[in-house]
């Protein structure tokens, strides 16, 4: 990993193994991850483009789902993994995710002849703006630019406007970043307001109600400052699958499934709540604008004080085997 300041000066370079033997970085393109997971399922069990429009519980403990095309599904168990604007979480009484005051541009640069960068994570820190890029395959490089903004601003979908605004933020920064933005395929560039939801005990609803449960961002949206949102969604899935399989195998009555969902919520909360809070504070520190504070960060904290091992401890998670 290499950390630079906005003028291109190298502040620090680490190898993960040197800092902590248990650590490594795996950058995975979302499409590849989803296709890999989907390929494990029997053919035809996934129904695409099914937009959930309405939810209703019935007295038998089942849940009726009405899709935007008017079709209806009756679910014995409903697992809501429908992201930060989850209609299922809303129906369960969760509040809207909170905007934290930063937005991120991101994209995937494509190089048909092979991408030219070393296999390492690159961070560049400015004042109130930070950026990063990392090769995710022999031909693709993922990048992001995160910036402070008092409001999420208008939704922009035009890729040329998105790229122009992203480049404007880093116009005098190391040129490789601008080259990477220019090499980005239009359909992969986006701007996302960063949000989270703090699951205060006794204030936030539990992860499950009856036989309805939420996982991933639908339950615990967190800012991406620790790179853990999708990782936690995968961890949720492993824990939930294990508990549900046990309940369904042992006894198919309502209570064992409901107990399995409750147990999933209790096991996962101590992992996801502190991560959400920590990610928020890490983001606040990384987005500092004050020139003096940024100078201390660039000249003292990053080169001399930061130890990567303790900073990455939160990434360690060993699930029980399925
Ligand atoms: C800038 C940025 C960088 C990030 N970097 C990292 C990182 O480095 N590492 C990491 O682990 N995480 C990262 N994350 C977080 C990660 O993207 C999310 O945590 C992860 O995508 C959550 O997965 P999910 O399946 O819960 O939700 P999503 O990936 O949001 O999937 C939700 C699904 O639900 C569907 N859906 C939504 N509404 C409906 C509806 N009404 N009906 C039917 N379907 C619906 C959507 O179409 C989508 O397919 C980052 C996030 C951002 C914004």
């Amino acid at each position: 990993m290499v950390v630079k300041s906005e003028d291109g000066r190298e502040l620090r370079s680490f190898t993960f193994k040197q800092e902590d033997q248990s650590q490594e970085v795996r950058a995975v393109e979302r499409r590849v991850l989803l296709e890999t997971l989907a390929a494990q399922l029997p053919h035809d069990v996934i129904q695409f483009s099914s937009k959930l429009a309405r939810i209703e519980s019935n007295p038998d403990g089942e849940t009726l789902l009405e899709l935007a095309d008017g079709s209806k599904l009756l679910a014995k168990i409903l697992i809501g993994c429908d992201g930060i604007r989850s209609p299922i979480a809303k129906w369960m009484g969760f509040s809207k995710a909170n905007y934290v005051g930063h937005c991120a541009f991101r994209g995937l640069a494509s190089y048909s002849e092979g991408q030219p960068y070393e296999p390492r994570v690159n961070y560049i820190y400015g004042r109130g703006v930070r950026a990063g890029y990392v090769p995710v395959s022999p031909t693709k490089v993922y990048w992001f630019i995160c910036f402070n903004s008092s409001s999420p601003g208008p939704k922009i979908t035009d890729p040329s406007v998105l790229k122009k605004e992203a480049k404007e933020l880093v116009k005098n920064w190391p040129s490789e970043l601008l080259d990477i933005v220019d090499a980005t395929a239009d359909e992969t560039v986006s701007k996302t307001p960063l949000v989270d939801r703090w699951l205060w005990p006794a204030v936030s609803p539990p992860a499950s109600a009856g036989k309805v449960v939420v996982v991933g961002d639908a339950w615990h949206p967190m800012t991406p400052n620790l790179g853990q949102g999708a990782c936690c969604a995968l961890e949720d899935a492993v824990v939930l699958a294990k508990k549900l399989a046990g309940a369904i195998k042992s006894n198919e009555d309502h209570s064992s499934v409901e107990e399995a969902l409750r147990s999933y919520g209790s096991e996962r909360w101590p992992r996801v709540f502190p991560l959400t809070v920590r990610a928020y504070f890490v983001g606040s520190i990384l987005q500092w604008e004050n020139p003096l504070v940024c100078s201390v960060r660039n000249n003292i904290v990053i080169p001399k004080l930061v130890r990567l091992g303790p900073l990455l401890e939160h990434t360690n998670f060993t699930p029980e085997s399925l």
Side-chain angles (χ1 to χ4, degrees), residues 30 50-52 81-85 87 104 106 142 144 192 194 215-218 224 227-233:
R30 175 185 291 257
S50 310
K51 191 171 166 52
L52 179 60
C81 42
D82 44 351
I84 51 171
R85 280 177 214 86
R106 50 187 167 152
Y142 165 78
F144 72 86
T192 313
L194 303 187
V215 303
D217 278 10
Q228 287 300 292
C231 298
C232 277

Side-chain angles (χ1 to χ4, degrees), residues 180-228:
I180 292 170
V181 176
D182 281 334
T184 299
D186 280 355
E187 66 281 10
T188 68
V189 66
S190 64
K191 178 184 159 191
T192 313
L194 303 187
V195 298
D196 68 10
R197 182 192 293 127
W198 292 23
L199 299 169
W200 291 111
V203 175
S204 202
S208 66
K211 289 194 283 174
V212 181
V213 66
V214 272
V215 303
D217 278 10
W219 182 28
H220 47 69
M222 62 180 81
T223 53
N225 306 304
L226 300 174
Q228 287 300 292

Side-chain angles (χ1 to χ4, degrees), residues 25-29 108-109 111 115-122 132-143 180:
V25 178
R26 291 191 195 177
V28 184
E29 188 185 339
L108 207 50
Y111 302 82
Q115 64 82 15
Y117 301 99
E118 282 185 48
R120 63 184 189 191
V121 182
N122 299 271
Y133 63 90
V134 58
V136 292
S137 79
T139 55
K140 288 183 185 164
V141 178
Y142 165 78
W143 60 269
I180 292 170

Side-chain angles (χ1 to χ4, degrees), residues 10-123:
E10 188 173 303
L11 305 177
R12 186 84 182 256
S13 98
F14 306 91
T15 71
F16 280 75
K17 290 278 177 221
Q18 255 168 17
E19 295 280 324
D20 180 341
Q21 275 300 320
S22 70
Q23 293 291 346
E24 62 178 316
V25 178
R26 291 191 195 177
V28 184
E29 188 185 339
R30 175 185 291 257
R31 181 185 57 78
V32 173
L33 176 65
L34 293 178
E35 286 174 2
T36 306
L37 293 171
Q40 299 301 308
L41 295 171
H43 186 56
D44 278 354
V45 297
I46 302 180
Q47 193 179 315
F48 291 100
S49 305
S50 310
K51 191 171 166 52
L52 179 60
R54 206 168 66 82
I55 311 166
E56 196 181 294
S57 56
N58 77 16
D60 301 333
E62 291 170 331
T63 312
L64 183 69
L65 305 174
E66 191 175 320
L67 304 185
D69 65 3
S71 58
K72 292 184 178 167
L73 298 167
L74 196 57
K76 284 191 172 153
I77 301 169
L78 175 60
I79 302 173
C81 42
D82 44 351
I84 51 171
R85 280 177 214 86
S86 164
I88 297 173
K90 186 176 174 199
W91 180 76
M92 290 169 73
F94 284 91
S95 57
K96 250 175 86 173
N98 294 311
Y99 174 61
V100 299
H102 326 302
C103 293
F105 288 104
R106 50 187 167 152
L108 207 50
S110 281
Y111 302 82
S112 52
E113 305 291 309
Q115 64 82 15
Y117 301 99
E118 282 185 48
R120 63 184 189 191
V121 182
N122 299 271
Y123 283 118

